[in-house]
């Protein structure tokens, strides 16, 4: 039952936002009473904490599976982008913005976890890209990984990039191209252009 509540709550929060979804809405969509939800989660904040953890673990698990396919690092970044967008519903309700505004402690904890996982993941991607002569060999892996993370967080700022003007898919495509053009060799640029064309 806990899993079902988490899954339904995650869907609703991503589609409608953390602020506007009530415990009544979640109970109704899960086909249970509010009392049942309170058996598993003592309040909405605790449920949001559990949902962000659940989404984080689901996305990490999917990214690990993409890594295991050992595709070339440029294709891998585009595959991860597709996977993340699918799971975050194209971020139509700007969940990160709402989390930051209304649940800042949960947001900061999640951001720290994302940073740690992404640093490792991006450095590994950069290392393979250099080996495969897709990325320039003189890049500073730690710096690029940090800049990449900062940019990914930055494009989700809806004051900077209003969702009426940019879909999350468009923003992520622009950002991936921007990132890759800065680090690719000529061979890498050709692979990037194939990806953009496809």
């Amino acid at each position: 039952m806990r899993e079902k509540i988490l899954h339904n709550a995650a869907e609703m929060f991503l589609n409608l936002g953390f602020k506007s979804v009530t415990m009544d809405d979640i109970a109704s969509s899960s086909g249970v009473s509010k009392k049942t939800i309170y058996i598993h989660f003592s309040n909405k904040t605790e449920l949001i904490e559990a949902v962000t953890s659940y989404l984080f673990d689901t996305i990490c698990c999917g990214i690990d599976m993409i890594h295991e396919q050992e595709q070339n690092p440029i294709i891998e970044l585009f595959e991860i982008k597709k996977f993340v967008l699918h799971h975050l519903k194209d971020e139509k309700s700007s969940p990160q913005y709402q989390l930051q505004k209304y649940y800042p402690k949960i947001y900061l904890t999640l951001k720290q976890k994302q940073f740690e996982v992404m640093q490792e993941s991006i450095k590994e991607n950069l290392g393979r890209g250099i080996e495969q002569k897709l990325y320039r060999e003189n890049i500073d892996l730690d710096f690029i990984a940090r800049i990449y993370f900062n940019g990914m967080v930055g494009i989700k700022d809806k004051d900077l990039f209003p969702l009426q003007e940019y879909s999350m898919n468009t923003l992520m495509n622009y950002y991936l191209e921007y990132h890759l053009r800065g680090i690719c060799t000529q061979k890498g640029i050709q692979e990037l252009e194939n990806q953009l064309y496809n």
Side-chain angles (χ1 to χ4, degrees):
M1 181 51 71
R2 189 176 194 276
E3 279 297 301
K4 185 184 179 186
I5 294 166
L6 271 179
H7 177 75
N8 285 342
E11 292 281 307
M12 294 187 82
F13 288 143
L14 288 174
N15 284 315
L16 305 164
F18 288 103
K19 181 82 175 110
S20 47
V21 175
T22 66
M23 294 298 253
D24 285 314
D25 297 331
I26 293 161
S28 167
S29 105
S30 306
V32 297
S33 70
K34 210 156 64 162
K35 204 163 127 189
T36 306
I37 295 180
Y38 286 121
I39 291 168
H40 300 281
F41 308 98
S42 57
N43 54 44
K44 186 178 173 184
T45 303
E46 195 179 294
L47 175 59
I48 287 173
E49 213 165 339
V51 164
T52 55
S53 245
Y54 164 80
L55 286 169
F56 178 78
D57 293 342
T58 303
I59 287 167
C60 284
C61 194
I63 289 172
D64 287 345
M65 284 166 74
I66 293 169
H67 279 318
E68 282 161 21
Q69 293 166 18
E70 294 186 350
Q71 303 178 79
N72 90 43
I74 293 173
I75 292 174
E76 181 179 90
L77 287 178
F78 278 91
E79 287 300 311
I80 288 171
K81 179 210 79 158
K82 267 189 266 179
F83 174 80
V84 169
L85 278 178
H86 171 73
H87 272 79
L88 296 182
K89 314 281 179 222
D90 200 14
E91 307 214 5
K92 289 186 224 38
S93 67
S94 54
Q96 179 174 296
Y97 176 82
Q98 289 201 3
L99 202 58
Q100 189 175 3
K101 188 170 177 185
Y102 302 109
Y103 301 92
K105 271 168 106 170
I106 298 173
Y107 170 78
L108 287 172
T109 304
L110 182 65
K111 187 179 171 187
Q112 188 55 42
K113 278 163 68 177
Q114 287 172 332
F115 175 73
E116 284 158 15
V117 168
M118 270 179 82
Q119 286 306 281
E120 221 169 284
S121 172
I122 291 299
K123 281 188 196 168
E124 195 270 339
N125 179 282
L126 292 168
R128 277 189 303 115
I130 291 169
E131 276 167 30
Q132 294 175 30
K133 310 254 184 281
L134 294 166
Y135 303 155
R136 291 181 289 108
E137 55 187 43
N138 63 341
I139 58 176
D140 181 316
L141 302 196
D142 189 61
F143 174 77
I144 300 291
R146 285 169 187 272
I147 281 286
Y148 184 80
F149 176 78
N150 197 43
M152 275 297 180
V153 171
I155 62 172
K156 291 175 181 173
D157 181 333
K158 75 180 192 76
D159 294 328
L160 276 178
F161 300 103
L163 286 172
Q164 312 83 267
E165 291 173 40
Y166 301 95
S167 76
M168 193 45 69
N169 185 41
T170 301
L171 282 172
M172 283 181 100
N173 277 338
Y174 283 170
Y175 184 65
L176 269 183
E177 181 178 2
Y178 178 80
H179 164 71
L180 288 165
R181 284 195 187 277
I183 62 172
C184 278
T185 58
Q186 205 45 52
K187 180 183 173 190
I189 295 286
Q190 280 178 317
E191 180 58 69
L192 167 64
E193 287 180 347
N194 289 342
Q195 287 304 307
L196 293 170
Y197 182 73
N198 293 330

